[in-house]
Amino acid sequence: MSKPPPARYRTMNWSSHNAGLRKRGSMLIWVDQEMAWLAPPKGRPGRPPVFSDAAIQFCLSIKVLFKLPLRQTAGMVAGLLRLAGLNWSVPDFSTLYRRQKTLAVQIPYRRVEGPLNL
C-alpha cells in the first residue's frame, strides 16, 4: 500500500498572507503604573518580601511566554520597564526562583484572532 501524495498549499492572496505574518510578529506590552510592584508590609516576624505577587507573576509570565532562563528574564523585564519609563527595581533571578515555587503562572488560552491579555 503506497502513501498518498502530500497536500500542496499555494498562497493566492499574497497581500493578506503578508499582513497576517506581520500581525503575528507584533507585540505590545502594557504595564499598569498603578500596579502594586512592591509588597505591602505583612506584620509578621521575619524579613518581609520586597516584591508583590503581581510583580513576580509578571516576571514569570514573561519567562514562560518567551521561554527564557531566569537571569535573562530579569534582564528582559528591566528593559521593558525602562522602555515604559518606569524606575522600578527588578527581582533578581534567585528571588524569582524562590517565589516561583509558590506562584503558579497561568497563561490563558490564546484565541486565533485578537491579542493575548494577561
Side-chain angles (χ1 to χ4, degrees):
M1 193 173 196
S2 63
K3 285 184 171 179
R8 293 182 63 192
Y9 299 99
R10 293 185 182 204
T11 302
M12 299 297 194
N13 189 351
W14 281 101
S15 62
S16 91
H17 176 72
N18 287 335
L21 290 176
R22 278 193 309 270
K23 184 178 175 183
R24 185 187 312 167
S26 69
M27 178 178 71
L28 180 63
I29 296 178
W30 290 86
V31 179
D32 186 12
Q33 294 182 357
E34 302 299 320
M35 179 173 67
W37 190 257
L38 299 176
K42 296 279 185 182
R44 295 185 304 200
R47 184 174 179 204
V50 176
F51 299 98
S52 68
D53 287 346
I56 301 298
Q57 182 80 24
F58 175 76
C59 295
L60 294 177
S61 297
I62 296 295
K63 174 189 180 293
V64 169
L65 284 174
F66 294 102
K67 299 178 179 136
L68 296 173
L70 289 173
R71 292 175 202 254
Q72 284 142 356
T73 299
M76 184 168 185
V77 169
L80 290 172
L81 292 177
R82 190 172 38 251
L83 283 174
L86 300 172
N87 191 18
W88 295 347
S89 58
V90 178
D92 61 347
F93 73 96
S94 60
T95 302
L96 292 174
Y97 178 76
R98 270 191 337 269
R99 300 274 301 271
Q100 77 179 350
K101 294 177 184 177
T102 60
L103 287 176
V105 179
Q106 296 179 356
I107 305 295
Y109 175 73
R110 184 175 177 185
R111 300 180 308 271
V112 175
E113 293 295 322
L116 173 65
N117 295 318
L118 298 175

